[in-house]
Amino acid sequence: MSHKRVFITGAAGFIGFHLAQRMLKDGWEVMGFDGLTPYYDPKLKQARLSILQAQERFLFEEGMLEDEGVLTRLIAEFRPDVIVHLAAQAGVRYSIDAPRSYVTSNLIGTHEILEAARACPPKHLMMASTSSVYGANTEMPYGETDRAVHPKSFYAATKIANEAMAHSYAHLFAIPTTMFRFFTVYGPWGRPDMAPFKFTKAILNGEAIDVYNHGDMQRDFTYVEDLVEGILRLSATIPGTEPVGPMDSLSPVAPFRTVNIGNGSPVQLGAFIEAIEAATGRTAERNLMPMQPGDVHATWADARLIEALVGALPRTDIRDGVKSFVDWYRGWNDR
């Protein structure tokens, strides 16, 4: 039996690792690509990668997205049914200090993926965007048809650009494309620059945690396995010509849509910290801080479109998801 093939960029990253694991389990052949950059501890990336490399049907190439022609060659050789482009320079705050890395990874790197898809078109090109594209919007929940034109960080600006770039290729070269907008993904094997990791580490070490905007923040925290389920179901949902309803973001001139993948219910930052306190059995010492540049006050995904496309996704309760993360973190820290 021939297996379906998927090419995943950022396969040693947090989301890419979980997606590759799930697709291998479901019988796909997976080719992973990752630059293993030192933005955060590469030991974490190597550990994820070694788990994947122990499995059959997993191939891996290390390389940089922005190196001209590399992705085109690999994709032409592997001939994937689906391409999932997750690799990016992530992080809102880092984009203030190191904007050029976002230009090379997110703009030039994404252009290389689009060129590879143009040369060897997959049945479905899927690419990561972010809830940060909603920027200064205040209407909640965020719907895919809302305007996304006021980014509050350079990271978000590069993701808006990615959506526009991908739309143009979808239109010009009829490449069926889905961009997914992620909402605050967390879970085991998560990134050290994100709140769950930072907070858990500090609380277990008896250190104070920095709580921005004095804790008056809301995030639509999305458990990584729920997100992966969404990506997997969407991989078989190729944009056509018929919208599924008035909330559909389907382009009038291209097989292209944007889709939110979120939990659909915002959680107060304080409640999230309480979930970590419950999972660790420790009380956090809170260092209350002002809002940080580039940050947004709240995020909340309108889930109507994804539910119309693929049905209701699992929604892991914040307490259960945080406990899974803390259990993993303790094991990782004891290595």
Side-chain angles (χ1 to χ4, degrees):
M1 160 189 157
S2 68
H3 299 281
K4 285 195 287 190
R5 298 180 154 211
V6 61
F7 187 94
I8 301 175
T9 70
F14 169 39
I15 296 168
F17 162 70
H18 281 279
L19 180 65
Q21 267 208 308
R22 173 67 192 276
M23 293 183 100
L24 287 164
K25 189 172 151 226
D26 285 8
W28 290 67
E29 279 185 50
V30 178
M31 183 167 203
F33 182 86
D34 203 290
L36 300 170
T37 61
Y39 167 63
Y40 62 81
D41 189 353
K43 281 208 301 279
L44 190 55
K45 301 180 184 185
Q46 290 287 0
R48 297 185 191 119
L49 189 56
S50 63
I51 292 170
L52 295 174
Q53 288 178 315
Q55 298 178 66
E56 283 184 54
R57 299 193 316 280
F58 181 76
L59 300 166
F60 181 72
E61 282 281 337
E62 183 177 343
M64 299 302 284
L65 293 171
E66 60 268 24
D67 290 347
E68 193 173 348
V70 172
L71 290 167
T72 296
R73 175 178 59 78
L74 291 172
I75 284 168
E77 287 167 4
F78 186 61
R79 304 201 79 76
D81 301 290
V82 176
I83 296 171
V84 187
H85 177 42
L86 297 169
Q89 180 56 63
V92 167
R93 288 169 198 143
Y94 187 64
S95 69
I96 296 169
D97 303 324
R100 181 176 282 271
S101 63
Y102 292 74
V103 173
T104 49
S105 297
N106 300 5
L107 300 181
I108 300 171
T110 297
H111 175 250
E112 286 296 313
I113 271 284
L114 293 171
E115 278 293 288
R118 172 187 181 180
C120 183
K123 294 191 179 83
H124 198 176
L125 173 61
M126 307 180 77
M127 293 179 26
S129 186
T130 170
S131 60
S132 297
V133 300
Y134 292 109
N137 293 15
T138 53
E139 287 281 306
M140 298 270 175
Y142 294 145
E144 292 89 345
T145 56
D146 296 348
R147 276 158 56 90
V149 292
H150 299 124
K152 294 176 83 173
S153 67
F154 188 62
Y155 163 66
T158 64
K159 289 296 191 175
I160 293 172
N162 286 167
E163 292 186 4
M165 291 158 68
H167 181 271
S168 70
Y169 270 65
H171 167 69
L172 291 168
F173 309 114
I175 303 167
T177 303
T178 299
M179 304 274 323
F180 18 74
R181 293 172 175 170
F182 295 155
F183 283 72
T184 316
V185 188
Y186 76 102
W189 295 99
R191 293 196 341 240
D193 61 318
M194 294 192 68
F197 203 110
K198 284 167 112 165
F199 287 177
T200 301
K201 182 179 180 180
I203 290 167
L204 287 173
N205 290 341
E207 297 162 1
I209 58 171
D210 290 340
V211 179
Y212 293 105
N213 205 35
H214 305 279
D216 182 19
M217 306 266 276
Q218 290 185 315
R219 288 291 180 270
D220 197 347
F221 287 101
T222 309
Y223 191 62
V224 65
E225 287 178 12
D226 302 345
L227 175 100
V228 162
E229 178 68 27
I231 297 173
L232 205 61
R233 290 191 205 172
L234 282 170
S235 69
T237 310
I238 295 168
T241 53
E242 290 302 312
V244 293
M247 73 309 211
D248 199 345
S249 57
L250 187 69
S251 165
V253 295
F256 175 96
R257 65 160 56 93
T258 53
V259 182
N260 288 336
I261 310 184
N263 199 47
S265 56
V267 171
Q268 273 287 354
L269 187 56
F272 183 70
I273 295 166
E274 283 161 20
I276 300 176
E277 289 176 322
T280 56
R282 307 270 183 93
T283 303
E285 186 191 331
R286 293 165 168 80
N287 181 20
L288 300 179
M289 311 270 284
M291 189 81 145
Q292 282 219 305
D295 236 340
V296 295
H297 173 250
T299 64
W300 179 9
D302 185 333
R304 287 177 304 158
L305 176 55
I306 194 162
E307 288 181 0
L309 293 170
V310 300
L313 295 177
R315 291 184 176 184
T316 299
D317 181 81
I318 193 80
R319 291 176 293 268
D320 298 332
V322 165
K323 185 177 183 315
S324 296
F325 173 77
V326 170
D327 290 348
W328 167 80
Y329 177 86
R330 284 186 148 133
W332 168 254
N333 224 30
D334 289 343
R335 289 162 78 117

